[in-house]
Amino acid sequence: MIGEKINQNLLNLNAAKALLSTFEVFDDPQKIVVAIAGESGSGKTHMATALAKELLANKIQTQILHMDDFFKLPPASNHAQRLTDISQVGPQEVNLERLNDLISAFKSNAGNCSIPTVDYYQNSIAESHVDLSEVQVLIIEGTYTFFLKDTNFHLFMSRDYEQTKELRLARNRGNEAQDEFIERVLRIEHEIIAGSATKADAYIDYDFNLQIK
């Protein structure tokens, strides 16, 4: 997503190194898909970046996809829809079918693929292209990534929306951490993904340490 900032000091490289050394799936010569799930502000994007950096250091070509780019509506429009009907909150807001198609194309050795790119501040979605032909590991990070099909490894960021409030205040994206309606949305998301957390192969705990299931 355009507008998302990565603080290099927050990259969890120790956990990334531990993941690569612990799980044989990363040694598989076949193409694999890593799903990183968790609540808002739990560190999904930073964890995905750290893992990609470590994979690249090991000469494993990697591509990150952000589920936020695959919402059916751009951010402000999606928020307006939620204000009209809060029951819209959930995986149905995301074009999971398109992401599943991309996973299928990736595993079928597709080359140039079209992907959406959200501009948070412009409230717009554009199309861009990415070449997946040489990519060995596709990392998809987002709230509902455990709802995707044909993923090979599942990492869950354990911090919930109450524990991440300080981080969300620091990010201060649209003043979201002080918006009571947003807090209601986060409570709903918490309830939805809590059940999917059982799919995890490993967890990143409150202190950002790797925990093996």
Side-chain angles (χ1 to χ4, degrees):
M1 177 189 290
I2 297 173
E4 188 79 11
K5 297 179 180 179
I6 299 296
N7 184 337
Q8 296 294 318
N9 294 323
L10 297 180
L11 295 185
N12 198 344
L13 295 175
N14 287 335
K17 292 177 189 293
L19 280 169
L20 266 62
S21 65
T22 303
F23 292 96
E24 293 181 358
V25 66
F26 292 103
D27 299 323
D28 194 327
Q30 302 300 316
K31 296 197 172 192
I32 67 168
V33 179
V34 177
I36 301 179
E39 300 184 31
S40 179
S42 61
K44 300 182 296 296
T45 304
H46 281 81
M47 191 65 242
T49 304
L51 182 56
K53 186 172 184 177
E54 191 59 28
L55 285 163
L56 288 169
N58 284 272
K59 297 181 171 54
I60 300 173
Q61 293 300 310
T62 306
Q63 177 69 44
I64 300 173
L65 295 181
H66 307 284
M67 182 169 274
D68 281 353
D69 286 322
F70 288 81
F71 270 69
K72 296 173 182 176
L73 296 174
S77 302
N78 194 66
H79 181 64
Q81 177 177 266
R82 289 172 167 182
L83 287 170
T84 301
D85 182 6
I86 199 170
S87 69
Q88 293 294 316
V89 175
Q92 64 272 11
E93 297 177 296
V94 183
N95 194 340
L96 295 177
E97 182 178 358
R98 183 170 182 180
L99 265 170
N100 283 325
D101 287 344
L102 268 170
I103 291 172
S104 179
F106 166 67
K107 291 196 171 184
S108 299
N109 295 310
N112 199 29
C113 293
S114 176
I115 61 170
T117 303
V118 166
D119 188 319
Y120 181 87
Y121 296 106
Q122 295 297 320
N123 189 43
S124 63
I125 303 176
E127 291 291 322
S128 59
H129 292 83
V130 61
D131 186 357
L132 299 178
S133 58
E134 300 298 322
V135 174
Q136 296 166 266
V137 177
L138 184 64
I139 301 173
I140 308 177
E141 63 87 12
T143 306
Y144 305 117
T145 55
F146 286 5
F147 288 80
L148 294 170
K149 299 176 182 178
D150 206 18
T151 48
N152 303 95
F153 188 85
H154 308 90
L155 179 64
F156 189 74
M157 310 299 291
S158 298
R159 287 190 169 204
D160 64 31
Y161 72 101
E162 293 178 331
Q163 295 166 331
T164 63
K165 189 164 186 175
E166 183 177 343
L167 291 172
R168 290 185 287 111
L169 279 167
R171 179 173 63 182
N172 199 33
R173 192 166 67 187
N175 204 33
E176 64 178 28
Q178 300 184 64
D179 187 323
E180 176 53 33
F181 181 78
I182 295 296
E183 293 301 300
R184 289 176 61 197
V185 168
L186 295 177
R187 283 195 291 272
I188 293 170
E189 291 180 343
H190 170 76
E191 292 171 1
I192 293 171
I193 70 171
S196 71
T198 57
K199 192 175 181 178
D201 298 296
Y203 302 83
I204 300 295
D205 66 18
Y206 178 83
D207 295 313
F208 295 108
N209 295 312
L210 178 67
Q211 300 292 334
I212 310 302
K213 184 175 179 180

